[in-house]
Amino acid sequence: MVLHAHLVRHVLVRLALRQAHDVASTLTVVAANQAIPISADALAHSQRVRAFLHQQIQQAGGWLPFSVWMHHVLYAPGLGYYAAGNTKLAETPSHHATALSGDFVTAPQLTPLFGQTLARQVAEILHQTDTLDVLEFGAGSGALAHDILSALNEMGLHVRYNILEVSADLRQRQQQRLAAWGERVTWLETLPTSFSGCVIGNELLDAMPVELFVWSEQGEVLERGVVSLAPVQAPDQAPNQTTNQTTDADSEGFFPGFAFQDRPAAPQLAATVQARMPALPGYTSEINLQAEAWIRDLGHWLTRGAALLIDYGFPRHEYYHPQRQRGTLMCHIQHRTHDDVFLAPGLQDITAHVDFTAIAEAAQDSGLSVLGYTSQARFLLNAGLPQVLEAYAQQQIEHPDPKARARTYAAVQKLISEAEMGELFKVIALGRGVQAPLSGFTQSDRSGQLVQSN
């Protein structure tokens, strides 16, 4: 007898919950054939998140657009992944991911050399705008802010560093990490009405909730939403809707899972999808309208300066390539990646790659210029990574530390290797009143790839 993968996963989670109060403080769930230990307290929190999600689905009439469901899972106050107190970012880098705390590692945590190199590009923007203001969105552990502040300090630039952070526990970590900088660092509660200087967003856009869509066999654009597998069904559930995941009914007080369900897309969403890619029956992907709206807002409040946005993604012709027929949604939990978005809600990050063509178009629509677009590897090399490495090598001569040197060189290799982060991650610069080309894009600028090519 062959069981559906989601049924197996659901059964394993329920078995773990049954044992939570009896035998262990650490339980195991399975994702992508990997065993993931989760504490009983964490699973109890996930159950509270599940209860909240079922309630939201019921209140919406039995069906939520995936973007709304993703927003709740990540940002619901006190419950969502970024709004609760679980550790997200690893405390320290290591070659053995399973030894790390948290769920993922970002470039600033691999090595301070990333932030030191980025600071060189920040300094160029500040010189061009004659300002000393930096604004970082989603500052993670505060490592990048610390490294940029330190590097700019050595250049004689005593900047005012602003941070806008939606995660309360990450904000607390940032405040502890950056306490030594005193009043030089400020946390904002809302977007500025106007800003001149340099804006930074490292892995910002990928965490914004996305719309899911599917091309039907008849060439119709369907919007993919989420329904509850709880026994109570919404009375106004429309007929002829497709549910493509099943699980067993709950009978022991545990909140059951969720399933995808597709409906005809609203005219505006359908028209947007049709304008960006050809009809490919069965093709599933995402569209990040919230990220595009954020970029358009940036065009309203960025009066002079540039935004440096670093994230994983592709230009549109690669994003919607026929072979990428399952989309780019990814989940991150305990340094493991998989694509089961319904696993342990509230305990895992959910991300989607970035359509950089859409980002460029939104910027231009709001009056911003695309100042450059290239791979992370090429950006770092252009911006001065070789010089930063040379300075680090000199420090090692004066104060040798073979283990630290090996870790640093391994981290740099990860940042620039095409097989690691060097090619998948891209850097795009958007701005107003700044002269191009910026130093990070002097060679191998790929802005021409962002032209719509359907």
Side-chain angles (χ1 to χ4, degrees), residues 85 122 196 260 288 297 385 394 401:
V122 172
S196 295
F260 286 133
N288 198 335
D297 284 343
L385 179 59
Q394 183 61 39
D401 185 339

Side-chain angles (χ1 to χ4, degrees), residues 124-135 193-199 298-307 367-369 371 430-435:
E124 181 183 353
I125 293 168
L126 296 180
H127 284 309
Q128 281 209 39
T129 57
D130 195 25
T131 64
L132 289 172
D133 290 295
V134 178
L135 171 56
T193 55
S194 65
F195 181 83
S196 295
C198 183
V199 177
L298 173 69
H300 295 312
W301 55 260
L302 182 61
T303 54
R304 188 181 183 201
L368 297 175
S369 299
L371 303 173
L430 311 171
R432 175 181 287 122
V434 173
Q435 186 68 37

Side-chain angles (χ1 to χ4, degrees), residues 106-112 114-115 141 143-145 147 177 202-203 415:
T106 60
Q109 293 169 282
L110 290 173
T111 171
F114 176 83
S141 67
L144 182 58
D147 296 337
R177 179 72 174 268
N202 183 54
E203 296 195 46
L415 290 175

Side-chain angles (χ1 to χ4, degrees), residues 65-67 70 208-216 220-225 244 260-263 265 269-270 272-274 276-289 292 313-330 339 341 350-356 358 454:
F66 180 79
S67 60
M70 183 174 172
M208 295 186 182
V210 296
E211 315 292 336
L212 287 188
F213 66 86
V214 183
W215 283 97
S216 74
E220 179 185 15
V221 179
L222 305 177
E223 181 177 5
R224 177 154 287 181
N244 61 2
F260 286 133
Q261 189 178 86
D262 303 330
R263 292 183 173 184
L269 176 60
T272 302
V273 172
Q274 291 163 352
R276 296 186 180 186
M277 68 169 294
L280 298 172
Y283 193 96
T284 302
S285 194
E286 318 86 24
I287 185 168
N288 198 335
L289 300 178
E292 295 171 37
F314 316 98
R316 182 168 298 154
H317 67 276
E318 294 181 31
Y319 196 102
Y320 297 122
H321 192 280
Q323 292 182 350
R324 193 167 282 114
Q325 59 186 354
R326 295 182 59 186
T328 71
L329 275 181
M330 291 196 309
D339 62 1
V341 297
I350 303 175
T351 71
H353 288 45
V354 177
D355 172 3
F356 280 102
N454 283 348

